[in-house]
């Protein structure tokens, strides 16, 4: 039982490049979330999903897109990376209304 | 976006001392969570609280759901070096799938 996994762990992009971050969970959770963590800002919600095929915007969705084609996977895409998107990205999952369990994070640098 | 006020922002303590930190919100929450994050890792759930006034322990950690439902407290007794890290609170209102996170309390333990 791996819990929540994220790939890749690290990535460096140039401005304007695109990439996809993958989150996978094996706990059969309905809900999945993408957060970004910046120094002194805590965790801010980017997008979330309450079930397969559904997504919704969080607090800071601009510049990101997501997809939930399979219940166990939640993808976060950056179509045209900007330096302001340099951050640590965390995925989390939960059962309905329950505690959120986090992945180990992806450290992204945009030059 | 809304964030929780978490205090203190950081604290240095001697090994063996007790630690107290708190989280306050302008909104009423129905759930409070407390997480610990080690450097380079994702947040790990410590304690979940679901009822006003609830007091829950996890080893040397004790957390309380404030009776006003606008605050929560975390205490660590007899601190040890491995308690070093950042402690986050998170709150959610009933019927929502989204948690609001505090900005964290950075704990350093001096041996």
């Amino acid at each position: 039982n791996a819990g929540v996994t994220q790939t890749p762990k690290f990535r460096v992009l140039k401005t304007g490049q695109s990439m996809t971050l993958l989150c996978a969970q094996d706990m059969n959770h309905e809900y999945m979330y993408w957060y970004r963590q910046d120094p002194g800002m805590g965790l801010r919600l980017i997008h979330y999903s309450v079930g397969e095929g559904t997504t919704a915007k969080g607090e800071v969705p601009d510049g990101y897109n997501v997809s939930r084609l399979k219940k166990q996977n939640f993808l976060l895409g950056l179509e045209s990376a900007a330096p302001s998107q340099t951050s640590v990205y965390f995925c989390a999952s939960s059962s309905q209304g329950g505690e959120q369990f986090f992945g180990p994070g992806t450290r992204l640098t945009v030059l | 976006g809304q964030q929780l006020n978490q205090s203190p922002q950081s604290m240095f303590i001697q090994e063996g001392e007790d630690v107290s930190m708190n989280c306050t919100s302008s909104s009423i929450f129905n759930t409070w969570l407390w997480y610990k994050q080690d450097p380079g890792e994702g947040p790990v759930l410590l304690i979940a609280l679901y009822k006003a006034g609830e007091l829950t322990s996890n080893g040397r950690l004790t957390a309380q759901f404030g009776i006003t439902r606008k605050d929560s407290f975390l205490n660590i007794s007899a601190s040890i070096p491995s308690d070093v890290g950042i402690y986050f609170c998170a709150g959610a209102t009933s019927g929502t799938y989204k948690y609001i996170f505090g900005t964290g309390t950075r704990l350093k333990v001096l041996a």
Side-chain angles (χ1 to χ4, degrees):
Chain A
N1 190 340
V4 180
T5 58
Q6 293 182 233
T7 52
K9 292 190 187 304
F10 303 93
R11 187 72 187 268
V12 178
L13 291 178
K14 294 181 179 178
T15 297
Q17 286 185 320
S18 63
M19 78 163 294
T20 301
L21 283 67
L22 171 64
C23 176
Q25 54 94 6
D26 61 3
M27 296 175 281
N28 201 34
H29 284 164
E30 286 293 331
Y31 304 164
M32 297 186 74
Y33 309 80
W34 275 107
Y35 293 90
R36 60 177 290 172
Q37 185 177 41
D38 301 296
M41 298 290 292
L43 288 155
R44 292 185 292 168
L45 183 63
I46 303 171
H47 286 280
Y48 65 102
S49 167
V50 300
E52 182 179 321
T54 70
T55 63
K57 294 180 180 180
E59 180 187 353
V60 288
D62 294 342
Y64 305 95
N65 57 75
V66 288
S67 64
R68 183 99 181 268
L69 299 179
K70 294 183 179 181
K71 184 178 183 179
Q72 64 267 35
N73 296 337
F74 196 27
L75 279 65
L76 178 71
L78 286 73
E79 291 188 346
S80 179
S84 61
Q85 293 177 304
T86 293
S87 188
V88 182
Y89 292 86
F90 287 101
C91 176
S93 71
S94 72
S95 57
Q96 184 175 4
E99 305 99 2
Q100 294 187 6
F101 295 89
F102 284 83
T106 293
R107 282 146 188 80
L108 175 66
T109 301
V110 183
L111 302 175
Chain B
Q2 181 185 8
Q3 286 201 320
L4 301 178
N5 294 316
Q6 197 170 341
S7 65
Q9 287 188 323
S10 63
M11 52 195 315
F12 290 79
I13 61 169
Q14 293 285 340
E15 183 177 356
E17 287 184 350
D18 296 342
V19 175
S20 291
M21 61 188 77
N22 68 77
C23 215
T24 59
S25 168
S26 57
S27 303
I28 290 176
F29 287 134
N30 293 90
T31 304
W32 284 97
L33 307 177
W34 283 93
Y35 290 88
K36 177 177 182 254
Q37 185 177 24
D38 292 327
E41 304 289 332
V44 174
L45 182 67
L46 299 173
I47 294 177
L49 302 162
Y50 295 102
K51 197 163 57 173
E54 180 181 356
L55 191 70
T56 298
S57 294
N58 177 6
R60 293 178 296 104
L61 278 63
T62 301
Q64 185 165 20
F65 194 138
I67 57 173
T68 67
R69 294 165 62 194
K70 291 185 177 182
D71 53 13
S72 181
F73 310 89
L74 177 69
N75 296 309
I76 305 173
S77 62
S79 59
I80 59 178
S82 62
D83 290 334
V84 166
I86 303 177
Y87 292 80
F88 289 100
C89 61
T93 54
S94 177
T96 71
Y97 312 112
K98 298 180 288 185
Y99 281 87
I100 307 297
F101 282 81
T103 51
T105 292
R106 186 180 298 271
L107 179 65
K108 297 192 177 182
V109 179
L110 306 174

